[in-house]
């Protein structure tokens, strides 16, 4: 059963067809997907988020497209579609690097680490978290940098690399 917020967003979609109001349509699809994710309905979120991603891209809104790609990756990761999730996060990280958005790029890479960890590839997860930590730190987000470093350290510990994990 949709929440009141989701019902409102569905009504907005009827007022903003993609062919006439592409930016409003994509924005509404993005918010609907985000709302569904926050409500724990990841499977349903996989419907509006690709639409937002595509329409933002068609409108030339690369930053918004990358953010929609990250959100789609989150939905895919939580439904255990790890290959597709990793592809989304890598695509978003690449786009965000090109847009000079280090904090957003770091968030995408942090999620790459989570997907790699879920897939059992702690080495790749560690590399993603290390880069994310550096990017978060350089962008002025010390708490997020610390979280990425913590997860990198935990991956090193799990791999038996105790001395490397200490810092």
């Amino acid at each position: 059963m949709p929440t009141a917020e989701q019902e409102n967003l569905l009504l907005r979609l009827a007022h903003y067809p993609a062919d006439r109001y592409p930016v409003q349509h994509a924005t509404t699809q993005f918010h609907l997907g985000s709302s569904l994710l926050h409500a724990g309905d990841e499977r349903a979120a996989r419907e509006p988020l690709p639409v937002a991603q595509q329409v933002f891209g068609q409108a030339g809104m690369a930053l918004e497209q990358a953010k929609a790609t990250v959100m789609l990756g989150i939905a895919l990761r939580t439904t255990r579609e790890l290959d597709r999730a990793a592809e989304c996060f890598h695509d978003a990280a690449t786009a965000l690097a090109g847009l000079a958005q280090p904090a957003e790029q770091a968030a995408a890479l942090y999620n790459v680490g989570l997907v790699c960890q879920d897939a059992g590839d702690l080495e790749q997860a560690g590399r993603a978290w290390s880069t994310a930590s550096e990017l978060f730190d350089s962008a002025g987000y010390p708490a997020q940098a610390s979280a990425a470093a913590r997860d990198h350290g935990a991956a090193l510990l799990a791999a038996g690399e105790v001395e490397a994990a200490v810092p």
Side-chain angles (χ1 to χ4, degrees):
M1 184 114 211
T3 65
E5 175 189 21
Q6 292 163 4
E7 285 180 10
N8 182 34
L9 291 167
L10 290 168
L11 288 173
R12 278 195 218 168
L13 282 176
H15 288 79
Y16 298 127
D19 59 341
R20 186 162 178 186
Y21 302 102
V23 174
Q24 293 90 337
H25 185 82
T27 301
T28 304
Q29 292 279 18
F30 179 81
H31 289 297
L32 178 59
S34 298
S35 177
L36 290 164
L37 270 176
H38 291 293
D41 196 351
E42 296 86 5
R43 292 201 186 283
R46 293 180 312 178
E47 293 177 29
L49 290 170
V51 174
Q53 179 188 35
Q54 178 184 4
V55 177
F56 278 137
Q58 291 169 345
M61 300 176 73
L63 178 59
E64 291 77 6
Q65 181 183 24
K67 289 180 179 185
T69 303
V70 168
M71 293 302 282
L72 177 58
I74 292 168
L76 292 167
R77 178 179 171 257
T78 56
T79 59
R80 305 292 300 162
E81 296 177 60
L82 300 181
D83 290 339
R84 287 183 60 207
E87 183 179 325
C88 284
F89 294 134
H90 281 293
D91 289 350
T94 299
L96 292 161
L99 294 167
Q101 297 289 320
E104 296 287 345
Q105 179 188 5
L109 289 171
Y110 182 82
N111 279 292
V112 167
L114 294 174
V115 169
C116 291
Q117 180 183 39
D118 291 349
D121 187 348
L122 295 180
E123 185 177 324
Q124 184 70 21
R127 282 195 296 271
W129 286 326
S130 177
T131 304
S133 180
E134 292 169 10
L135 285 167
F136 276 134
D137 192 45
S138 70
Y141 291 90
Q144 290 81 353
S146 294
R150 174 202 62 220
D151 289 342
H152 182 211
L156 289 169
L157 279 175
E161 299 181 39
V162 177
E163 286 191 34
V166 169

